[in-house]
Amino acid sequence: MATAVKSDIKLEPSPNPFEVAQQQLDEAAELLELDSAIHHLLRWPMRELHVTLPVRMDDGSTKIYHGFRVQYNDARGPTKGGIRFHPDETIDTVRALAAWMTWKTAVVDIPLGGAKGGVICNPKELSDGELERLSRAYIRQVGRILGLKKDIPAPDVYTTPQIMAWMADEYAFMKGHNEFGVITGKPLALGGSAGRGDATARGGLYCLREAGKLLDIKLDGATTAIQGYGNAGSFAHKLGVELLGLTVVAVSDSRGGIYNKGGLEYDAVFAHKQKTGSVVEFPGSEPITNEALLELDVTISIPAALESVITERNANKISAKFLVELANGPTTPEADKILYEAGCYVIPDFLCNAGGVTVSYFEMVQNSYNYYWTEQLVHERLDEKMTSAFHVVHDTAQEHKVHNRLAAYLVAVSKVAEAVKLRGWVS
Ligand code: GLU
């Protein structure tokens, strides 16, 4: 007998991230006096696939999951972008993230387009076996539109190198041979790149280092708050201390945050999170909410979790001198204006967190040559890419007297628009 099925496809969140992404593009298009057909084309994904995935659970039942892959624009090369496993995933979130990947690969000038994938699920409630079967089911459905010359996935929120390994294996079965370069962020033993693990945080910190020099603000000992303790946030803590000497006074994850004005030691916090599953209740710290963490009186604030956490409601309460956006889409356009007027130096998301996809690109190149670089070489090449992109965006902002996000859009959109035009997609 059929039983009623509760819908697990979520309504769009507010603010809608895709409307935010379109609004950001519209502003850049106006300043660039972009051809209206190109503008219209760039407001929408070229292609999207919606998939329904039956997955056998450990108790013998079958659960149905929904997933997406959005290929936003491939004018500059094959599309590239991560896959998120998140209970609040929506098609518009994935569209926004795919658009931001398009601008991200353009701003750091790597020969790729933008894409994103997502599955509505809560990986924290799944066993390893269930997670593996879900990952394989996703690739069985989406694999037909992937390829080294078509679209190359990677990890994102709540997906890991192990998940990439299962996906690469499933894809190899579909093709009848290994094609490691089609999925990046793999473990080292399966063709992963040295330096991919911490690349997102490292790239953002290279930008912060440059911003510190330009603004003549000493970063050694600068107080720092980090929202989110996944791959980007936890490595920002580790490397922020190691590379720049930051004093990290607050960190958080989805369960809450911790604060210690004398500084939080990375090794101890990380070990606590490994043991308990969260940073909360770290010995010697005070609890702090995720909202209050962003409003702390610190020099550097690092949103490294989800989108739309800085809006017109709290932007005027942010007192940090630098906003280092390791998350995708943490700040809404209304908040951008408030922060710019208040003199906060924003290192915008698709520039700041481009280190991940840059080393993913290095991984693809190494997979193609089947010849691998040292970690030091990866760091040098990443530094070169991030530093040069940072200065181009900073100079563009100064020249046009606009905030850094709009400047990053001006740089990225011009490159994608040029490719669209050269290919003859619009006359
Ligand atoms: N998910 C990461 C991002 O948002 C990395 C994407 C990739 O490596 O392709 O940039």
Side-chain angles (χ1 to χ4, degrees):
M1 200 180 80
T3 50
V5 178
K6 212 170 96 240
S7 174
D8 44 7
I9 298 189
K10 299 276 188 309
L11 296 173
E12 290 310 330
S14 167
N16 180 323
F18 186 46
E19 283 170 10
V20 168
Q22 288 183 318
Q23 194 183 332
Q24 291 166 337
L25 169 71
D26 293 347
E27 252 187 89
E30 198 183 319
L31 255 179
L32 289 169
E33 293 176 18
L34 199 64
D35 172 276
S36 76
I38 297 182
H39 179 192
H40 195 165
L41 178 77
L42 297 182
R43 290 188 97 236
W44 292 96
M46 292 182 335
R47 187 179 301 115
E48 52 190 47
L49 185 61
H50 296 228
V51 293
T52 301
L53 312 169
V55 177
R56 185 71 42 88
M57 307 307 279
D58 289 348
D59 66 4
S61 67
T62 300
K63 216 174 151 190
I64 309 302
Y65 290 91
H66 300 278
F68 318 100
R69 183 75 185 168
V70 174
Q71 298 176 338
Y72 199 85
N73 188 286
D74 68 355
R76 299 181 62 261
T79 54
K80 179 91 189 82
I83 299 166
R84 306 209 306 184
F85 283 0
H86 199 276
D88 297 333
E89 202 63 280
T90 69
I91 182 61
D92 273 355
T93 312
V94 181
R95 284 174 177 149
L97 291 159
W100 291 325
M101 283 308 305
T102 307
W103 315 134
K104 194 179 302 191
T105 52
V107 86
V108 283
D109 205 16
I110 54 179
L112 298 167
K116 205 78 175 198
V119 177
I120 309 167
C121 68
N122 187 353
K124 290 178 186 170
E125 289 169 0
L126 299 177
S127 70
D128 278 357
E130 290 166 344
L131 202 53
E132 175 176 352
R133 292 191 290 278
L134 175 63
S135 305
R136 290 184 185 277
Y138 180 76
I139 290 299
R140 280 199 298 278
Q141 282 300 328
V142 169
R144 67 200 70 198
I145 63 164
L146 302 180
L148 259 178
K149 294 182 182 160
K150 294 200 260 181
D151 181 16
I152 304 102
D156 200 88
V157 172
Y158 294 158
T159 50
T160 59
Q162 174 61 73
I163 291 176
M164 297 306 113
W166 289 324
M167 290 182 168
D169 183 67
E170 192 63 33
Y171 191 77
F173 274 112
M174 288 174 76
K175 299 299 275 190
H177 58 261
N178 287 336
E179 232 177 75
F180 286 156
V182 82
I183 290 180
T184 62
K186 302 178 295 295
L188 280 181
L190 269 187
S193 174
R196 176 64 183 84
D198 66 19
T200 305
R202 184 177 287 276
L205 292 169
Y206 288 154
C207 293
L208 175 61
R209 178 195 64 202
E210 296 305 302
K213 283 191 237 164
L214 285 176
L215 272 65
D216 200 19
I217 292 177
K218 194 164 143 264
L219 299 177
D220 192 20
T223 50
T224 305
I226 304 174
Q227 186 191 62
Y229 217 68
N231 172 280
S234 63
F235 275 120
H237 187 178
K238 181 175 193 282
L239 297 179
V241 176
E242 270 173 34
L243 300 177
L244 303 176
L246 309 181
T247 299
V248 177
V249 294
V251 302
S252 68
D253 59 28
S254 60
R255 306 231 303 254
I258 54 173
Y259 173 73
N260 182 331
K261 71 172 184 325
L264 295 160
E265 208 226 321
Y266 167 76
D267 286 334
V269 175
F270 189 76
H272 178 78
K273 168 124 183 156
Q274 292 284 90
K275 200 166 112 204
T276 66
S278 173
V279 297
V280 298
E281 287 172 17
F282 176 67
S285 70
E286 291 167 40
I288 186 168
T289 63
N290 263 294
E291 296 73 42
L293 178 140
L294 289 175
E295 296 164 16
L296 273 176
D297 182 15
V298 286
T299 306
I300 299 154
S301 180
I302 309 187
L306 295 172
E307 53 285 346
S308 304
V309 291
I310 303 170
T311 66
E312 75 268 31
R313 281 196 297 279
N314 61 351
N316 58 4
K317 296 188 194 133
I318 288 173
S319 56
K321 289 196 174 63
F322 298 100
L323 189 69
V324 181
E325 294 183 343
L326 288 181
N328 286 308
T331 308
T332 62
E334 297 74 26
D336 263 328
K337 291 196 181 76
I338 298 170
L339 294 171
Y340 185 54
E341 275 155 27
C344 175
Y345 194 91
V346 177
I347 306 178
D349 57 355
F350 68 78
L351 165 68
C352 188
N353 67 30
V357 73
T358 301
V359 178
S360 273
Y361 164 61
F362 296 163
E363 183 173 333
M364 289 167 63
V365 171
Q366 294 169 80
N367 290 149
S368 299
Y369 278 88
N370 209 8
Y371 182 74
Y372 289 82
W373 308 350
T374 61
E375 190 171 46
Q376 195 194 339
L377 187 58
V378 170
H379 291 170
E380 281 165 20
R381 290 188 168 157
L382 175 64
D383 198 346
E384 207 178 293
K385 276 279 177 208
M386 296 303 301
T387 301
S388 132
F390 171 84
H391 285 285
V392 170
V393 169
H394 176 85
D395 293 349
T396 306
Q398 300 297 307
E399 188 191 328
H400 292 269
K401 299 192 171 43
V402 296
H403 57 70
N404 286 339
R405 187 177 330 276
L406 187 47
Y409 265 95
L410 296 180
V411 175
V413 172
S414 307
K415 283 195 188 145
V416 179
E418 186 189 1
V420 164
K421 215 170 170 142
L422 284 169
R423 294 178 72 138
W425 289 358
V426 293
S427 50

